[in-house]
Amino acid sequence: MTFNVNRSALFAGVAAMSVIPALAMAQATDQDNSGSFGDIVVTAQKRAESIQDTPLSISALGAEALSARNITDVTGIGNMAPNINVNSPNGNTHISIRGIGAENTQPGFEASVAFHLDGVYISRPSSTADGLYDIERIEVVRGPQGTLYGRNATGGAVNVITAGPTDTLDGFGKVSLGNYGLVQTEGAVGGPLGDGISARIAFQTVDRGGWGMSGIRGNNETRINDKKTRAVRGKLKLEPSDSFSLLIAADYFWESDNGGLMNWIRRGNNGRPLVGTQLGGLVADNSLRDTTSDLPPHTWKENWGLAATAEWDISDAVTLTSITGYRNTDYRNQWDLDQTNLTLSQLYDSERSKSFSEALRLSGDLGDRVNFVLGGYYFHEKVKSTTLAAFSTAVPAFGGQVPGFLAQGYAIDGALVTDALAAFGQAGFEFNDYIGIDVGARFSWERKKKPYEYYAFDLSRPFDPANNPFACPCISTGPIGDSTPQLIGPVQDSRSSFTPKVTLRAKPNDDLLLFATYSKGFKSGGYTLGTQATEAFKPQDLTGFEGGIKADWLNKRLRTNLTAFHYQFKNLQVQKIVNDPPSVAVESAGKAKLYGIEAEIMVEPVDDLKLNLDAGWLHSEYVEFTNIDPTLEGTSLPGQGAISRKGNRLSQAPEYQITAGIEYSFRPDWGDITLRGEGHFTDRIYYTPFNTVEFSQAPTKIFDIYVTFVPRESKWTLGLFAKNITDKEYLAVATQHPVWAGGGVLGAMAEPRIVGGYAMLHF
């Protein structure tokens, strides 16, 4: 099968039609499914409303869609909504929406897409992939959400809503088996415990072998890219009266596996080979999947959280809601930085975080034509991070002595503290039965602190990861050659932001919604550990304009949702590799702009045959951005020095993304069989602002197949799945290898062909 994209035709075609990714989404809730596609109810605007009545670019993914695709964490939703990319390098989840995402790979960084679990903001990207199980729905909101969501929602928001306690006993159990030794279990049970008391408990386990090997064949080989996780969640709901309820939730997640590896993919734009190979080291034959590393990669996580959601119906029209959350995360990662079998460099990262949040809001209706949301928000977090890197003195950049030894190298140890306050409000006014307006604003204040930061560099004593590198007075700090011990910090920076929103909407009939929105959003500024910076990088500001049409046609057999948008950025935050001292910094890209269109189309031409198209076209470019490509420093190649990157495409912002699906259901007397096929097509993705071919992924075509069988009058559901059926090898994410090691491409590959099946029992 071939697929050729004419970009002009794509633009015109997308402007004409559109889709919601999978028809199974229509079962996202237990609402009355009127028409062919159902009436999905979402709460993205802090109130329950039909997705077709919500003047937002939003997709909702239901439990059936997630289960049929055997999606176990948030990285699996990347192909299920327009203009969204999700990957997980080094165990940290990066979500990019419309080209806006998190590039920083350092511990302590914050994302540009806000992630919420049952209304609680999850700040750590290392925690957002903590398993998807017992899910009611996932809402993906595209576009700046500065009013209702506030900080770090310039790209949009992902809201995960898990199943809650029910009034009757119900639950399910599911077992999945697949290639690479996959054994996965999931289940939940819930129901009433007494008058006004109900509960639910759910769990998930994932055990899967890896698709790569680390080490030299026959000598201490270790299977890598495996997965081993455990997760459990409990909920208790108290309803002492008809007007008050309290939902208490607790969750726990644990992971320990040889995942999170960044492989050496190829030489970079400077053409240099790996330094390790120049010293006699070996690289795996298939370095995309395997590595000869002497230090096997390993990821370890232990995360847990508590939440309390109280709702008090003050009157029939007004409700007071309080959501209190506490999150504790502990993340550790190790891998071999030199990517050869020689003991030349090793990297150890750890991140520990404690956060508390409180969201208080008053919502309701004032008569038939006015609805409102008023609220306040508080967030506090302290992140402690340590990075240890050991270097061999045999490496030319660190002495060039042969045979050399593994020296202390550099160590980063520090803390980041965030305090944030916000007050917000939004009101909807209905001028008449057809035209309305939503007006909202948020005032945010936040303070970023760096209480302390150590940057130690020592090439004089052997490395011992068990020994605190800061306990030795011989350690030099600061740039190489500076032997004066010093402490950086405390420093702090305070900022405020005003983010308004205005939406005009018209609903000529029950099946048509038109809307136009002006909005602003911001992403926090702050500090990056390891750069020794005493000045904070600036917050990222975005001004957005968006217009859309949502329509059902032909007695609800055709649904077309169209959106066009235009963004203007100030102080766009971009990750930069720094060579001296070795570190990863965040700098401002000055200005950037994006514009594009999205289309979501779903059609049922005849009963049981469903077609969907999910397409996005995106133009992005830096408007003001001048910086140095670190991989070219110290070479005689053209392109050295500070060069304007004006006109370059933003990182992780492909020009087009398309998902097309076809689904047909057979209904013999003994059961229902549903066959579904999907194709995912993505344009070239650049992973650095320099837009070099070496640091990019060429256009890809990925195909998936799903089969679901529900026996007649049975509580069982059986399924088969095959993802990436052509076994395409392609990059999920890439970054620049340090120049001292060669300056090549480090990357994490997407999953290979995954096949398996599952059995689920509902009760």
Side-chain angles (χ1 to χ4, degrees), residues 241-320:
S241 68
D242 293 338
S243 61
F244 181 80
S245 68
L246 175 63
L247 179 64
I248 301 172
D251 63 89
Y252 174 83
F253 177 85
W254 173 89
E255 178 178 0
S256 180
D257 49 43
N258 296 325
L261 173 68
M262 296 285 277
N263 288 58
W264 185 79
I265 303 300
R266 54 180 170 258
R267 298 187 184 192
N269 52 323
N270 61 19
R272 290 175 173 174
L274 271 174
V275 167
T277 61
Q278 295 178 300
L279 297 176
L282 300 176
V283 177
D285 293 336
N286 180 11
S287 63
L288 301 181
R289 300 290 187 196
D290 303 330
T291 176
T292 56
S293 299
D294 58 291
L295 177 69
H298 188 76
T299 296
W300 184 89
K301 298 180 186 180
E302 187 174 47
N303 305 326
W304 58 273
L306 300 171
T309 302
E311 291 192 350
W312 177 30
D313 294 331
I314 299 175
S315 68
D316 292 340
V318 179
T319 299
L320 179 65

Side-chain angles (χ1 to χ4, degrees), residues 176-196:
S176 302
L177 303 175
N179 59 339
Y180 299 104
L182 173 67
V183 179
Q184 174 186 315
T185 66
E186 180 181 342
V189 61
L193 300 179
D195 188 19

Side-chain angles (χ1 to χ4, degrees), residues 80 93 146 166 232 273 278 281 354 440 442 448 510 572 726 734 763:
M80 299 183 70
T93 302
T166 53
V232 64
Q278 295 178 300
K354 296 180 180 180
R442 188 183 190 105
K448 291 282 190 173
D510 291 341
L572 179 63
T726 61
F763 59 88

